[in-house]
Amino acid sequence: HERAALVARESRVLAEQTESPRAWEGWYQEARALEALGDRPASAAAYSEAATLLTSVLDDVQLDAVEMRSWLLDVKGVFDAAAAAQMAVASGPGDLEAALDLVEQGRSRVLLSAVLGGSELTAPLDDPPADERFEGLPGPTRRGLGRLGRLRGLRDRPWFKTSHLGGTHERSTADLSEAAADRRGRVAGAATLGVSALRARLPRSMGAVVFRSAVAGTDVFWVERDRIEAHSLPLGEQELRALVDRYVSLMAASVTDPEARPPFERASDALRAATLGPVEERIRGVRHLVVVPDGELYRVPFGALRRDGRYLVEQVSVSVAPSMNILDALLDRTPD
């Protein structure tokens, strides 16, 4: 491990001297080696530097999700590792905010790449016929818009007829490119929001539970205006998937089979205890709960989880947000 740390350090020093965009990799490998050596503070600092440099690279080259995959970039993995290292040395609320900032940056980068360039699902599909309205947009976005316009029945929808996709009014390539740039700016700006700033904007009646799932375990962050805390669950990705699979299958069976109802309720109780157990006391203190899932937990209807014979939605109103940054944007919406 000491040799690995030395090699990684020499590699990133050389990359920095040559101003290589891959310098972040040297910091990342050095961080992993320092972590294996048990030097947690140094590892956390190196991970943080890797995440910072990777952010700079992503801002410069503006990769979309498909290109990230071709570059073999596990963006979320880098930020998650940095967050885990930060949590390992956390000694107060500020450190937990820094860890959650890293989680949110990784999550936002993945969402941003999907918004601007589609997802992995767009990669193997053939390009649609050329459409000059979409020239100048990122390739995966152009392909996605082309397929959208060919969906059966879509052209009859009122909102589609009035949009530029429907072709009822012309928008130039410059207009489309400007709109894309504006969207990129707004979403990229949200990616830099700090958790501290968001907490100051949260209504006092609202609490947010943020999950970060990994192979070795799952982290749960509880966020309120006046409180932030973190808990580690002994649930790796495989264990979490097994719990969710059982819950979802029993929920479906209980719709038509009365005998499946008791097992479903037990599975609901178990899943709630496994995921929300550490923050149950906090949930009782709010009127509205926002859940930011991760991984398998996107499949869970949290409002339908039970405890003591009551569903969660009977205790608080429940919403789901894909990230804290998007929650911040939603706070600006009107109540309706």
Side-chain angles (χ1 to χ4, degrees), residues 160-206:
F160 186 83
K161 291 180 178 180
T162 59
S163 72
H164 73 272
L165 297 176
T168 56
H169 59 85
E170 295 297 325
R171 292 186 68 186
S172 67
T173 299
D175 289 339
L176 291 174
S177 298
E178 184 179 350
D182 177 67
R183 184 173 66 252
R184 182 190 299 275
R186 286 187 283 111
V187 182
T192 61
L193 172 75
V195 173
S196 178
L198 172 59
R199 285 178 59 199
R201 285 166 42 79
L202 285 179
R204 294 192 180 277
S205 60
M206 179 182 291

Side-chain angles (χ1 to χ4, degrees), residues 289-312:
L289 176 68
V290 178
V291 180
V292 181
D294 194 24
E296 295 294 324
L297 293 177
Y298 275 105
R299 301 165 54 200
V300 178
F302 278 86
L305 296 184
R306 287 166 34 100
R307 185 172 187 265
D308 299 330
R310 299 180 66 201
Y311 291 102
L312 180 61

Side-chain angles (χ1 to χ4, degrees), residues 1-2 5 30-44 88-89:
H1 294 312
E2 290 178 352
E30 184 175 351
R32 295 182 61 184
L34 291 170
E35 186 177 33
L37 288 169
D39 192 343
R40 290 182 172 180
S43 173
V89 298

